């Protein structure tokens, strides 16, 4: 629970510095940047932290950095403020995922469907390696997937940030 309190605090105080923006621009195309900067600032910061952790773990592998930056891009379709996100995270935990059945609610759609939405958005702007899209699509639903090294690293970084 303390982790969730810290996560909420980080969300409401999140900022993207000029240096952060420059770093992001080094890895994303203009179209990808347009999508990325459409995310809420706290989501941008989270993706930046994931990307920087992947950068460290993979010694600057550009595709992994891009994966970290774009893994939650589907959240632009149903953006949540930090309070809404906290509510859905807690509902998911306390209902053991049963809240997923309420798929008509914006919070539920964002929380559970953002990986698929992200893949759809990215496919429309350029060609991606299928394994790249698969990592985005499966980063929250990987239990029954074939675990590639990239997917394992993305899931670990996502869970730590």
């Amino acid at each position: 629970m303390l982790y969730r309190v810290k996560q909420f605090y980080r969300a409401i105080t999140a900022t993207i510095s000029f240096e952060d923006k420059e770093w992001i621009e080094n890895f994303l195309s203009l179209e990808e940047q347009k999508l990325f900067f459409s995310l809420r600032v706290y989501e941008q910061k989270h993706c930046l932290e994931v990307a920087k952790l992947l950068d460290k773990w993979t010694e600057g592998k550009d595709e992994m950095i891009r994966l970290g930056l774009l893994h939650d891009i589907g959240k632009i379709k149903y953006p949540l403020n930090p309070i809404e996100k906290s509510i859905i995270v807690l509902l998911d935990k306390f209902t053991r995922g049963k809240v997923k059945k309420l798929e008509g609610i914006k919070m539920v759609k964002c929380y559970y469907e953002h990986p698929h939405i992200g893949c759809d958005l990215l496919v429309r702007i350029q060609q991606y390696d299928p394994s790249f899209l698969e990592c985005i699509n499966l980063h929250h639903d990987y239990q029954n997937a074939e675990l590639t090294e990239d997917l394992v690293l993305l899931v670990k970084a996502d869970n730590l940030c």
Side-chain angles (χ1 to χ4, degrees):
M1 192 58 96
L2 181 60
Y3 168 75
R4 293 296 180 196
V5 172
K6 286 180 185 177
Q7 192 177 42
F8 179 78
Y9 177 76
R10 286 193 337 237
I12 62 172
T13 61
T15 60
I16 297 291
S17 70
F18 179 76
E19 291 80 16
D20 291 337
K21 190 173 180 187
E22 281 186 327
W23 192 83
I24 292 162
E25 290 170 352
N26 286 324
F27 297 101
L28 300 181
S29 70
L30 290 175
E31 290 173 294
E32 290 169 332
Q33 288 176 44
K34 184 177 178 185
L35 288 176
F36 181 85
F37 291 114
S38 296
L39 286 168
R40 300 248 172 152
V41 172
Y42 78 94
E43 297 289 6
Q44 291 176 30
K45 189 68 169 186
H46 164 72
C47 291
L48 177 64
E49 290 172 355
V50 170
K52 287 196 173 191
L53 194 50
L54 290 171
D55 180 23
K56 179 180 171 184
W57 290 347
T58 63
E59 298 175 358
K61 189 175 171 188
D62 286 2
E63 279 303 292
M64 289 303 293
I65 295 167
R66 288 178 67 228
L67 186 59
L69 290 170
L70 297 172
H71 79 281
D72 278 344
I73 207 68
K75 292 181 177 182
I76 66 174
K77 186 164 182 182
Y78 301 106
L80 302 178
N81 65 48
I83 293 172
E84 291 170 318
K85 183 170 181 182
S86 297
I87 291 168
I88 190 63
V89 166
L90 292 172
L91 284 172
D92 178 65
K93 180 175 175 66
F94 293 130
T95 67
R96 296 189 179 122
K98 291 180 182 153
V99 71
K100 186 176 187 176
K101 294 176 184 174
L102 303 173
E103 59 192 39
I105 299 171
K106 178 181 109 170
M107 286 189 294
V108 174
K109 281 186 180 188
C110 180
Y111 190 73
Y112 290 105
E113 295 179 24
H114 76 269
H116 315 298
I117 295 166
C119 283
D120 291 344
L121 289 169
L122 292 172
V123 164
R124 293 180 192 164
I125 65 169
Q126 71 183 51
Q127 291 289 333
Y128 291 89
D129 186 278
S131 63
F132 183 92
L133 293 173
E134 186 173 87
C135 284
I136 290 176
N137 196 38
L138 296 174
H139 77 273
H140 284 295
D141 192 21
Y142 54 86
Q143 291 79 9
N144 298 318
E146 184 178 326
L147 295 175
T148 63
E149 182 181 348
D150 291 352
L151 180 57
V152 169
L153 288 174
L154 176 60
V155 169
K156 280 184 177 179
D158 192 26
N159 289 337
L160 287 172
C161 296

